[in-house]
Amino acid sequence: MSNAPASTESALTPAVKAMVGVSAEKVEASFEWGIEREGLRIFTQAIMDPDPRYWDEAFAKSTKFGAIITPPIYCTYIGRRQRPGAEDPVTRAFKENPNSDGIGGVRTGEGKGSLPLVPTHLLRILNAGNEIELRQYPKIGDRIYSQAKYADIKERVQKDGSRMLVVTTETLYTNQNGELLCILRASQIRR
Amino acid sequence: MTTAQELRDKKQTYWDDVAVGHQFPPLVIGPMTPTHLFRWSAAIENWHRIHYDQSFAIYHEGLPNILGQGSWKQSILPRYLKDLCLPDGWPWKVTFQHRAMIVPGDTITVWATVTKKYEEEGLGFLECDVGMRLQYDAESCPGRATLVLPIKGGKPIPYPFVPPKKLVS
Amino acid sequence: MARWIAIGKAPGWDDLAKFTQENKDTAQWRIDPKCTVTSVYALGDGRMIAEYHGPTVAEFETWLKNKGWSVDSLAAIKHIAKTGEIWKVV
Protein backbone atom coordinates (compact mmCIF):
# COMPACT_ATOMS: atom_id res chain seq x y z
CA MET A 1 0.00 0.00 0.00
CA SER A 2 1.24 3.43 -0.87
CA ASN A 3 0.66 6.32 1.49
CA ALA A 4 1.01 8.76 -1.38
CA PRO A 5 -1.95 11.09 -1.65
CA ALA A 6 -4.12 10.90 -4.77
CA SER A 7 -2.79 12.98 -7.61
CA THR A 8 -5.60 15.50 -7.31
CA GLU A 9 -4.70 16.36 -3.72
CA SER A 10 -2.46 19.35 -3.21
CA ALA A 11 1.23 18.51 -3.07
CA LEU A 12 1.87 21.80 -1.33
CA THR A 13 1.14 20.48 2.13
CA PRO A 14 1.78 22.51 5.29
CA ALA A 15 4.95 20.45 5.85
CA VAL A 16 6.19 21.31 2.38
CA LYS A 17 5.29 25.00 2.76
CA ALA A 18 7.19 25.08 6.02
CA MET A 19 10.42 24.32 4.15
CA VAL A 20 10.44 27.74 2.46
CA GLY A 21 13.07 29.82 4.20
CA VAL A 22 14.80 26.83 5.80
CA SER A 23 18.57 27.28 5.56
CA ALA A 24 21.41 24.81 5.63
CA GLU A 25 24.53 25.30 7.68
CA LYS A 26 27.07 27.73 6.19
CA VAL A 27 30.09 25.66 5.21
CA GLU A 28 33.46 26.20 3.64
CA ALA A 29 33.35 25.00 0.02
CA SER A 30 37.07 25.44 -0.60
CA PHE A 31 39.90 23.53 1.01
CA GLU A 32 41.96 25.32 3.65
CA TRP A 33 44.51 26.43 1.03
CA GLY A 34 41.82 28.38 -0.82
CA ILE A 35 41.64 28.95 -4.55
CA GLU A 36 44.88 27.97 -6.26
CA ARG A 37 46.28 28.42 -9.73
CA GLU A 38 46.52 24.79 -10.84
CA GLY A 39 42.84 24.10 -10.16
CA LEU A 40 42.03 27.33 -11.98
CA ARG A 41 44.14 26.28 -14.99
CA ILE A 42 42.37 22.93 -15.27
CA PHE A 43 38.94 24.55 -14.98
CA THR A 44 39.51 27.35 -17.46
CA GLN A 45 40.92 24.95 -20.04
CA ALA A 46 37.82 22.78 -19.66
CA ILE A 47 35.60 25.76 -20.52
CA MET A 48 38.05 26.73 -23.28
CA ASP A 49 38.49 30.23 -21.90
CA PRO A 50 42.05 31.50 -22.52
CA ASP A 51 41.44 34.84 -20.75
CA PRO A 52 44.80 36.18 -19.45
CA ARG A 53 42.97 37.55 -16.41
CA TYR A 54 43.12 33.93 -15.14
CA TRP A 55 46.86 33.40 -15.48
CA ASP A 56 48.89 36.52 -16.41
CA GLU A 57 49.54 38.19 -13.08
CA ALA A 58 51.01 41.41 -14.46
CA PHE A 59 48.13 41.89 -16.87
CA ALA A 60 45.54 40.94 -14.27
CA LYS A 61 46.92 43.58 -11.90
CA SER A 62 46.42 46.21 -14.59
CA THR A 63 42.69 45.41 -14.95
CA LYS A 64 39.83 46.78 -12.87
CA PHE A 65 39.90 43.55 -10.86
CA GLY A 66 43.47 44.21 -9.69
CA ALA A 67 44.50 40.56 -9.41
CA ILE A 68 44.12 37.15 -11.04
CA ILE A 69 40.44 36.24 -10.98
CA THR A 70 38.44 33.07 -11.64
CA PRO A 71 35.65 32.46 -14.15
CA PRO A 72 32.23 33.82 -13.17
CA ILE A 73 30.84 30.79 -11.37
CA TYR A 74 34.02 28.93 -10.48
CA CYS A 75 33.18 29.14 -6.78
CA THR A 76 30.07 27.00 -7.28
CA TYR A 77 32.20 24.03 -8.34
CA ILE A 78 35.01 23.92 -5.85
CA GLY A 79 32.87 22.35 -3.15
CA ARG A 80 32.35 19.25 -5.30
CA ARG A 81 35.93 18.04 -5.11
CA GLN A 82 37.12 15.13 -3.05
CA ARG A 83 39.14 15.99 0.01
CA PRO A 84 42.65 14.47 0.02
CA GLY A 85 42.94 11.47 2.32
CA ALA A 86 39.21 10.72 2.21
CA GLU A 87 38.03 7.20 1.46
CA ASP A 88 37.82 6.78 -2.32
CA PRO A 89 34.13 7.36 -3.08
CA VAL A 90 34.34 5.91 -6.59
CA THR A 91 35.70 2.56 -5.39
CA ARG A 92 33.16 2.50 -2.57
CA ALA A 93 30.24 3.24 -4.92
CA PHE A 94 31.11 0.42 -7.32
CA LYS A 95 31.78 -1.98 -4.45
CA GLU A 96 28.25 -1.29 -3.18
CA ASN A 97 26.72 -1.39 -6.67
CA PRO A 98 28.68 -2.74 -9.68
CA ASN A 99 26.18 -0.97 -11.94
CA SER A 100 26.57 2.39 -10.21
CA ASP A 101 25.84 5.34 -12.47
CA GLY A 102 28.94 7.01 -11.06
CA ILE A 103 27.01 9.70 -9.27
CA GLY A 104 24.17 8.34 -7.15
CA GLY A 105 26.36 6.36 -4.79
CA VAL A 106 29.48 8.48 -5.08
CA ARG A 107 29.39 10.49 -1.90
CA THR A 108 32.27 12.91 -1.53
CA GLY A 109 31.22 14.70 1.63
CA GLU A 110 29.43 14.08 4.88
CA GLY A 111 26.35 15.97 3.82
CA LYS A 112 27.51 19.11 5.63
CA GLY A 113 25.84 22.15 4.17
CA SER A 114 23.03 20.10 2.66
CA LEU A 115 19.41 21.13 3.00
CA PRO A 116 16.93 18.78 4.68
CA LEU A 117 14.80 16.85 2.19
CA VAL A 118 11.44 18.27 1.13
CA PRO A 119 8.83 15.94 2.70
CA THR A 120 6.98 14.97 -0.46
CA HIS A 121 5.94 11.76 -2.20
CA LEU A 122 6.96 13.36 -5.51
CA LEU A 123 10.29 11.67 -6.07
CA ARG A 124 11.05 12.29 -9.74
CA ILE A 125 13.38 15.28 -10.09
CA LEU A 126 13.90 17.38 -13.22
CA ASN A 127 16.02 20.49 -13.65
CA ALA A 128 13.69 23.42 -14.30
CA GLY A 129 16.31 26.09 -14.84
CA ASN A 130 18.93 28.13 -13.06
CA GLU A 131 19.68 31.74 -12.32
CA ILE A 132 23.17 33.02 -11.60
CA GLU A 133 23.74 36.46 -10.14
CA LEU A 134 27.33 37.73 -10.02
CA ARG A 135 28.75 40.31 -7.65
CA GLN A 136 32.50 39.66 -7.56
CA TYR A 137 35.03 37.22 -9.01
CA PRO A 138 36.98 35.12 -6.50
CA LYS A 139 40.74 35.65 -6.39
CA ILE A 140 43.70 33.34 -5.84
CA GLY A 141 43.93 32.41 -2.17
CA ASP A 142 40.30 33.24 -1.43
CA ARG A 143 38.42 30.88 0.88
CA ILE A 144 34.90 30.22 -0.35
CA TYR A 145 31.85 29.61 1.83
CA SER A 146 28.39 28.54 0.77
CA GLN A 147 24.99 28.55 2.39
CA ALA A 148 21.85 27.13 0.79
CA LYS A 149 18.20 27.75 1.60
CA TYR A 150 14.82 26.89 0.15
CA ALA A 151 13.84 30.20 -1.45
CA ASP A 152 10.48 29.21 -2.89
CA ILE A 153 8.20 26.20 -3.42
CA LYS A 154 5.25 26.48 -5.78
CA GLU A 155 2.67 23.98 -6.95
CA ARG A 156 1.69 23.52 -10.56
CA VAL A 157 -1.21 21.48 -11.90
CA GLN A 158 -0.40 19.50 -15.01
CA LYS A 159 -2.74 18.94 -17.95
CA ASP A 160 -3.83 15.57 -16.57
CA GLY A 161 -4.70 17.16 -13.23
CA SER A 162 -1.74 15.73 -11.35
CA ARG A 163 0.30 18.01 -9.15
CA MET A 164 3.95 18.88 -9.23
CA LEU A 165 6.19 21.10 -7.16
CA VAL A 166 8.72 23.65 -8.37
CA VAL A 167 11.36 23.85 -5.65
CA THR A 168 13.83 26.75 -5.84
CA THR A 169 16.98 26.69 -3.76
CA GLU A 170 19.19 29.71 -3.37
CA THR A 171 22.86 29.32 -2.51
CA LEU A 172 24.98 32.28 -1.47
CA TYR A 173 28.74 32.11 -2.03
CA THR A 174 30.91 34.42 0.06
CA ASN A 175 34.63 34.86 0.64
CA GLN A 176 36.67 34.90 3.84
CA ASN A 177 35.71 38.55 4.39
CA GLY A 178 32.01 37.78 4.17
CA GLU A 179 31.74 39.52 0.80
CA LEU A 180 29.07 38.17 -1.54
CA LEU A 181 30.56 36.59 -4.67
CA CYS A 182 27.58 35.05 -6.41
CA ILE A 183 24.08 33.71 -5.90
CA LEU A 184 22.93 30.51 -7.57
CA ARG A 185 19.18 29.93 -7.76
CA ALA A 186 18.31 26.46 -9.00
CA SER A 187 14.76 25.29 -9.64
CA GLN A 188 13.75 21.64 -9.67
CA ILE A 189 10.50 20.09 -10.72
CA ARG A 190 9.32 17.33 -8.39
CA ARG A 191 6.65 15.09 -9.80
CA MET B 1 36.88 30.56 -30.50
CA THR B 2 38.35 33.59 -28.77
CA THR B 3 42.09 33.90 -28.26
CA ALA B 4 43.95 35.16 -25.20
CA GLN B 5 45.23 38.11 -27.22
CA GLU B 6 41.73 39.11 -28.29
CA LEU B 7 40.61 39.08 -24.66
CA ARG B 8 43.69 41.04 -23.61
CA ASP B 9 43.01 43.70 -26.28
CA LYS B 10 39.22 43.69 -25.99
CA LYS B 11 37.77 47.18 -26.59
CA GLN B 12 34.88 48.27 -24.40
CA THR B 13 31.39 48.14 -25.84
CA TYR B 14 29.46 51.12 -24.48
CA TRP B 15 25.79 51.10 -23.57
CA ASP B 16 25.27 54.09 -25.87
CA ASP B 17 26.44 52.10 -28.89
CA VAL B 18 24.01 49.21 -28.48
CA ALA B 19 20.39 49.35 -29.65
CA VAL B 20 17.50 46.98 -28.98
CA GLY B 21 17.83 44.16 -31.51
CA HIS B 22 21.62 44.29 -31.47
CA GLN B 23 23.15 40.86 -31.89
CA PHE B 24 26.45 40.45 -30.10
CA PRO B 25 29.20 38.50 -31.92
CA PRO B 26 28.59 34.80 -31.25
CA LEU B 27 31.04 32.36 -29.69
CA VAL B 28 31.28 29.14 -31.70
CA ILE B 29 32.51 26.02 -29.89
CA GLY B 30 32.96 22.61 -31.48
CA PRO B 31 32.51 20.16 -32.90
CA MET B 32 32.44 18.71 -29.40
CA THR B 33 34.25 15.43 -28.86
CA PRO B 34 34.19 12.80 -26.10
CA THR B 35 37.54 14.24 -24.99
CA HIS B 36 36.03 17.68 -24.39
CA LEU B 37 33.28 16.09 -22.29
CA PHE B 38 35.70 13.94 -20.35
CA ARG B 39 37.97 16.92 -19.64
CA TRP B 40 35.05 18.78 -18.04
CA SER B 41 34.00 15.77 -15.97
CA ALA B 42 37.56 15.40 -14.70
CA ALA B 43 37.93 19.13 -14.01
CA ILE B 44 34.91 19.25 -11.70
CA GLU B 45 35.11 15.62 -10.52
CA ASN B 46 31.70 14.72 -11.90
CA TRP B 47 31.83 10.93 -12.30
CA HIS B 48 28.37 10.46 -13.80
CA ARG B 49 28.95 7.80 -16.44
CA ILE B 50 26.51 9.26 -18.97
CA HIS B 51 29.18 11.86 -19.75
CA TYR B 52 32.10 9.57 -20.64
CA ASP B 53 31.00 5.92 -20.70
CA GLN B 54 29.34 5.46 -24.07
CA SER B 55 28.27 1.88 -23.44
CA PHE B 56 26.56 2.88 -20.18
CA ALA B 57 24.97 5.96 -21.73
CA ILE B 58 23.51 4.07 -24.68
CA TYR B 59 22.68 0.64 -23.27
CA HIS B 60 21.80 1.44 -19.67
CA GLU B 61 20.37 4.93 -19.93
CA GLY B 62 18.91 4.74 -23.45
CA LEU B 63 20.64 7.93 -24.53
CA PRO B 64 21.79 8.64 -28.09
CA ASN B 65 25.43 8.94 -26.97
CA ILE B 66 27.38 10.36 -24.06
CA LEU B 67 25.92 13.76 -23.14
CA GLY B 68 27.41 17.19 -22.72
CA GLN B 69 27.09 18.25 -19.09
CA GLY B 70 24.50 20.78 -17.94
CA SER B 71 27.16 22.13 -15.61
CA TRP B 72 29.43 22.80 -18.59
CA LYS B 73 26.70 24.72 -20.38
CA GLN B 74 26.08 26.60 -17.14
CA SER B 75 29.72 27.70 -17.19
CA ILE B 76 29.92 28.58 -20.87
CA LEU B 77 27.07 31.09 -20.90
CA PRO B 78 28.50 33.29 -18.08
CA ARG B 79 31.94 32.98 -19.66
CA TYR B 80 30.55 34.33 -22.96
CA LEU B 81 28.69 37.15 -21.21
CA LYS B 82 31.87 38.01 -19.31
CA ASP B 83 33.71 38.32 -22.62
CA LEU B 84 31.02 40.64 -24.02
CA CYS B 85 31.32 42.97 -21.03
CA LEU B 86 35.11 43.17 -20.81
CA PRO B 87 37.05 45.13 -19.82
CA ASP B 88 34.88 47.30 -17.54
CA GLY B 89 31.27 46.09 -17.85
CA TRP B 90 29.60 43.48 -15.65
CA PRO B 91 27.61 40.34 -16.57
CA TRP B 92 25.22 40.75 -13.67
CA LYS B 93 22.60 38.03 -14.11
CA VAL B 94 21.73 35.11 -16.34
CA THR B 95 18.82 32.69 -16.18
CA PHE B 96 18.48 29.66 -18.43
CA GLN B 97 16.93 26.27 -18.91
CA HIS B 98 18.43 23.04 -20.18
CA ARG B 99 16.75 21.94 -23.41
CA ALA B 100 18.28 20.06 -26.36
CA MET B 101 20.96 17.55 -25.38
CA ILE B 102 24.53 18.11 -26.56
CA VAL B 103 26.32 15.04 -27.94
CA PRO B 104 29.76 14.57 -29.51
CA GLY B 105 29.75 15.99 -33.01
CA ASP B 106 27.60 18.97 -32.07
CA THR B 107 28.80 22.50 -32.73
CA ILE B 108 27.48 25.14 -30.37
CA THR B 109 26.88 28.79 -31.16
CA VAL B 110 26.55 30.90 -28.03
CA TRP B 111 24.56 34.04 -28.75
CA ALA B 112 22.99 37.13 -27.17
CA THR B 113 20.48 39.63 -28.58
CA VAL B 114 19.51 42.87 -26.83
CA THR B 115 15.78 43.06 -26.04
CA LYS B 116 15.64 46.10 -23.74
CA LYS B 117 17.92 48.87 -22.50
CA TYR B 118 17.56 51.28 -19.62
CA GLU B 119 19.57 53.48 -17.28
CA GLU B 120 19.53 53.25 -13.51
CA GLU B 121 21.66 55.21 -11.05
CA GLY B 122 23.90 56.28 -13.93
CA LEU B 123 24.61 52.73 -15.08
CA GLY B 124 23.62 51.28 -18.46
CA PHE B 125 21.58 48.06 -18.33
CA LEU B 126 20.86 45.69 -21.19
CA GLU B 127 18.34 42.87 -21.10
CA CYS B 128 19.25 40.14 -23.57
CA ASP B 129 17.86 36.90 -24.89
CA VAL B 130 20.69 34.37 -24.79
CA GLY B 131 21.25 30.78 -25.73
CA MET B 132 23.41 27.98 -27.07
CA ARG B 133 22.19 26.95 -30.50
CA LEU B 134 23.17 23.64 -32.06
CA GLN B 135 24.11 23.19 -35.71
CA TYR B 136 20.62 21.96 -36.58
CA ASP B 137 19.02 25.06 -35.02
CA ALA B 138 17.84 23.37 -31.83
CA GLU B 139 18.24 25.57 -28.77
CA SER B 140 20.15 23.85 -25.98
CA CYS B 141 20.14 26.53 -23.31
CA PRO B 142 17.59 29.33 -23.81
CA GLY B 143 17.63 32.13 -21.28
CA ARG B 144 17.87 35.79 -20.46
CA ALA B 145 20.71 37.91 -19.19
CA THR B 146 21.19 41.35 -17.69
CA LEU B 147 24.44 43.07 -18.61
CA VAL B 148 25.78 46.33 -17.27
CA LEU B 149 27.84 48.42 -19.66
CA PRO B 150 29.49 51.78 -19.06
CA ILE B 151 27.83 54.92 -20.41
CA LYS B 152 30.16 57.24 -22.33
CA GLY B 153 31.26 60.00 -19.97
CA GLY B 154 29.36 58.28 -17.15
CA LYS B 155 30.51 56.85 -13.87
CA PRO B 156 32.49 53.60 -13.68
CA ILE B 157 30.64 50.40 -12.91
CA PRO B 158 31.34 49.56 -9.27
CA TYR B 159 33.44 46.50 -8.49
CA PRO B 160 32.44 44.45 -6.55
CA PHE B 161 29.17 45.05 -8.34
CA VAL B 162 26.38 46.50 -6.24
CA PRO B 163 23.04 46.50 -8.08
CA PRO B 164 20.85 49.59 -7.84
CA LYS B 165 18.34 49.20 -4.99
CA LYS B 166 15.44 49.64 -7.39
CA LEU B 167 16.50 46.55 -9.33
CA VAL B 168 16.90 44.21 -6.38
CA SER B 169 13.82 42.11 -5.70
CA MET C 1 13.86 2.41 -25.27
CA ALA C 2 13.80 -0.58 -27.59
CA ARG C 3 16.60 -1.59 -29.98
CA TRP C 4 16.82 -3.23 -33.37
CA ILE C 5 19.56 -4.60 -35.61
CA ALA C 6 19.35 -4.48 -39.40
CA ILE C 7 21.51 -6.64 -41.65
CA GLY C 8 21.67 -5.94 -45.35
CA LYS C 9 23.57 -4.14 -48.03
CA ALA C 10 24.23 -0.45 -48.58
CA PRO C 11 25.57 0.41 -51.99
CA GLY C 12 29.00 1.99 -52.01
CA TRP C 13 29.68 1.73 -48.30
CA ASP C 14 32.75 -0.45 -48.86
CA ASP C 15 34.36 2.86 -49.78
CA LEU C 16 35.46 4.52 -46.54
CA ALA C 17 35.01 8.02 -47.95
CA LYS C 18 31.37 7.37 -48.87
CA PHE C 19 30.77 5.51 -45.62
CA THR C 20 32.15 8.52 -43.73
CA GLN C 21 30.14 11.00 -45.77
CA GLU C 22 26.90 9.18 -45.04
CA ASN C 23 27.46 8.40 -41.37
CA LYS C 24 29.74 10.96 -39.73
CA ASP C 25 27.63 14.06 -39.20
CA THR C 26 25.44 13.99 -36.12
CA ALA C 27 22.37 14.64 -38.25
CA GLN C 28 23.12 11.41 -40.17
CA TRP C 29 22.74 9.10 -37.17
CA ARG C 30 20.59 11.12 -34.79
CA ILE C 31 17.24 10.77 -36.51
CA ASP C 32 15.40 12.87 -33.91
CA PRO C 33 15.70 13.46 -30.15
CA LYS C 34 14.35 9.94 -29.41
CA CYS C 35 15.76 7.91 -32.31
CA THR C 36 19.43 7.11 -32.76
CA VAL C 37 21.42 4.83 -35.05
CA THR C 38 24.05 3.91 -32.49
CA SER C 39 26.36 1.71 -34.63
CA VAL C 40 26.93 0.90 -38.28
CA TYR C 41 29.34 -1.89 -39.31
CA ALA C 42 30.69 -2.52 -42.80
CA LEU C 43 31.52 -6.23 -42.99
CA GLY C 44 34.29 -7.76 -45.05
CA ASP C 45 31.81 -9.73 -47.16
CA GLY C 46 30.06 -6.56 -48.34
CA ARG C 47 27.13 -6.69 -45.94
CA MET C 48 26.23 -4.00 -43.43
CA ILE C 49 24.91 -4.10 -39.86
CA ALA C 50 23.20 -1.15 -38.22
CA GLU C 51 21.97 -0.88 -34.65
CA TYR C 52 19.22 1.52 -33.67
CA HIS C 53 17.30 2.58 -30.61
CA GLY C 54 14.02 4.43 -30.41
CA PRO C 55 10.41 4.06 -29.31
CA THR C 56 9.36 2.26 -32.52
CA VAL C 57 11.11 0.61 -35.46
CA ALA C 58 9.32 2.76 -38.05
CA GLU C 59 11.86 5.60 -37.95
CA PHE C 60 14.66 3.07 -38.46
CA GLU C 61 12.93 1.56 -41.47
CA THR C 62 12.59 5.02 -42.99
CA TRP C 63 16.26 5.73 -42.29
CA LEU C 64 17.30 2.47 -43.96
CA LYS C 65 15.13 3.24 -46.96
CA ASN C 66 16.50 6.77 -47.29
CA LYS C 67 20.04 5.40 -47.12
CA GLY C 68 19.27 3.05 -49.99
CA TRP C 69 19.73 -0.16 -47.99
CA SER C 70 18.43 -3.53 -49.05
CA VAL C 71 17.49 -5.14 -45.73
CA ASP C 72 17.92 -8.91 -45.35
CA SER C 73 17.02 -9.08 -41.69
CA LEU C 74 15.58 -6.73 -39.08
CA ALA C 75 15.23 -7.95 -35.48
CA ALA C 76 14.75 -6.58 -31.99
CA ILE C 77 17.68 -6.93 -29.57
CA LYS C 78 17.09 -8.74 -26.26
CA HIS C 79 20.34 -8.19 -24.41
CA ILE C 80 23.89 -7.13 -25.07
CA ALA C 81 27.35 -7.94 -23.78
CA LYS C 82 29.95 -5.24 -24.45
CA THR C 83 33.45 -6.14 -23.29
CA GLY C 84 32.08 -7.79 -20.19
CA GLU C 85 29.31 -5.33 -19.44
CA ILE C 86 25.88 -6.92 -19.73
CA TRP C 87 22.87 -4.83 -20.67
CA LYS C 88 19.31 -6.12 -20.66
CA VAL C 89 17.48 -4.30 -23.43
CA VAL C 90 13.87 -5.49 -23.26
Side-chain angles (χ1 to χ4, degrees):
Chain A
M1 281 287 286
S2 167
N3 293 322
S7 62
T8 51
E9 290 179 21
S10 175
L12 196 59
T13 63
V16 170
K17 276 185 196 168
M19 299 305 288
V20 177
V22 170
S23 289
E25 181 188 3
K26 182 177 178 179
V27 291
E28 180 167 9
S30 54
F31 296 136
E32 50 269 33
W33 48 86
I35 288 179
E36 41 76 34
R37 294 186 71 151
E38 182 61 4
L40 181 56
R41 181 189 67 80
I42 292 168
F43 186 91
T44 56
Q45 289 180 345
I47 58 169
M48 300 174 239
D49 187 348
D51 197 328
R53 290 162 185 80
Y54 302 146
W55 51 270
D56 183 337
E57 194 158 15
F59 175 71
K61 278 183 179 166
S62 75
T63 68
K64 76 180 285 183
F65 311 116
I68 286 180
I69 54 167
T70 74
I73 60 167
Y74 182 61
C75 57
T76 68
Y77 292 107
I78 60 173
R80 301 181 181 194
R81 297 172 304 170
Q82 186 193 343
R83 179 166 287 281
E87 183 194 358
D88 179 9
V90 174
T91 302
R92 183 180 59 203
F94 282 90
K95 197 172 177 184
E96 290 171 0
N97 174 14
N99 289 319
S100 169
D101 63 3
I103 192 163
V106 182
R107 301 180 298 273
T108 54
E110 301 92 40
K112 282 176 68 178
S114 299
L115 284 162
L117 298 176
V118 175
T120 175
H121 65 284
L122 302 170
L123 298 178
R124 190 158 179 230
I125 298 176
L126 299 169
N127 185 332
N130 294 345
E131 177 180 281
I132 298 160
E133 180 175 343
L134 302 173
R135 299 295 182 88
Q136 184 179 172
Y137 297 134
K139 298 186 292 291
I140 299 295
D142 272 0
R143 307 277 291 265
I144 308 297
Y145 298 83
S146 69
Q147 185 169 28
K149 75 169 184 182
Y150 286 113
D152 191 28
I153 303 179
K154 285 190 169 69
E155 184 178 56
R156 298 261 168 83
V157 182
Q158 301 182 83
K159 282 179 185 169
D160 65 359
S162 61
R163 310 298 177 107
M164 65 181 190
L165 295 172
V166 181
V167 179
T168 302
T169 58
E170 179 181 275
T171 306
L172 303 187
Y173 292 88
T174 50
N175 64 15
Q176 65 282 2
N177 302 319
E179 296 167 333
L180 182 58
L181 301 171
C182 89
I183 306 167
L184 176 64
R185 298 183 185 93
S187 295
Q188 287 184 335
I189 292 171
R190 304 286 299 265
R191 65 183 195 194
Chain B
M1 292 295 289
T2 312
T3 66
Q5 196 60 44
E6 286 168 343
L7 292 168
R8 194 186 293 271
D9 298 338
K10 170 84 171 34
K11 296 282 185 285
Q12 183 65 55
T13 301
Y14 288 91
W15 180 81
D16 318 59
D17 296 331
V18 177
V20 170
H22 176 79
Q23 297 179 343
F24 283 102
L27 172 70
V28 179
I29 300 175
M32 297 296 287
T33 67
T35 313
H36 289 102
L37 272 54
F38 175 74
R39 180 170 63 180
W40 174 254
S41 283
I44 66 160
E45 301 183 23
N46 172 352
W47 309 122
H48 200 176
R49 293 167 72 186
I50 62 170
H51 302 306
Y52 56 87
D53 184 337
Q54 191 189 51
S55 183
F56 180 84
I58 292 176
Y59 296 114
H60 188 267
E61 296 291 316
L63 296 167
N65 201 341
I66 55 173
L67 297 188
Q69 299 88 341
S71 56
W72 181 81
K73 294 197 283 185
Q74 180 169 305
S75 297
I76 294 295
L77 258 183
R79 170 254 153 118
Y80 169 66
L81 299 171
K82 178 264 300 176
D83 290 355
L84 298 183
C85 293
L86 287 174
D88 294 321
W90 188 247
W92 178 29
K93 278 199 288 196
V94 59
T95 67
F96 53 86
Q97 295 185 328
H98 294 294
R99 295 279 175 82
M101 293 184 285
I102 291 175
V103 298
D106 282 344
T107 296
I108 300 147
T109 299
V110 193
W111 60 276
T113 301
V114 178
T115 57
K116 186 180 175 186
K117 60 181 287 189
Y118 53 94
E119 193 180 330
E120 193 64 43
E121 292 186 10
L123 302 175
F125 288 81
L126 299 177
E127 303 280 344
C128 299
D129 284 342
V130 300
M132 301 174 74
R133 197 167 48 242
L134 305 183
Q135 70 280 1
Y136 53 92
D137 281 340
E139 182 50 64
S140 183
C141 208
R144 285 181 300 175
T146 307
L147 310 180
V148 192
L149 294 183
I151 296 172
K152 284 177 184 168
K155 67 178 188 183
I157 294 166
Y159 185 77
F161 181 69
V162 181
K165 285 195 178 97
K166 195 176 168 186
L167 301 181
V168 178
S169 52
Chain C
M1 208 72 86
R3 296 180 182 279
W4 286 265
I5 284 265
I7 304 172
K9 288 193 173 67
W13 281 13
D14 52 343
D15 172 18
L16 182 60
K18 186 169 170 58
F19 183 83
T20 302
Q21 186 190 352
E22 295 201 14
N23 291 289
K24 182 164 175 57
D25 289 347
T26 308
Q28 299 273 6
W29 51 266
R30 198 172 172 202
I31 298 170
D32 64 39
K34 289 186 175 173
C35 303
T36 306
V37 179
T38 51
S39 300
V40 180
Y41 298 87
L43 305 183
D45 63 3
R47 288 182 300 161
M48 300 289 155
I49 296 177
E51 178 191 328
Y52 156 90
H53 84 199
T56 71
V57 74
E59 290 84 355
F60 190 32
E61 290 174 321
T62 303
W63 184 88
L64 293 163
K65 191 176 169 189
N66 290 341
K67 289 288 186 191
W69 275 56
S70 59
V71 178
D72 301 328
S73 173
L74 179 59
I77 303 171
K78 282 190 76 172
H79 33 252
I80 294 168
K82 279 263 184 187
T83 55
E85 295 200 89
I86 309 299
W87 308 114
K88 179 178 180 295
V89 176
V90 288

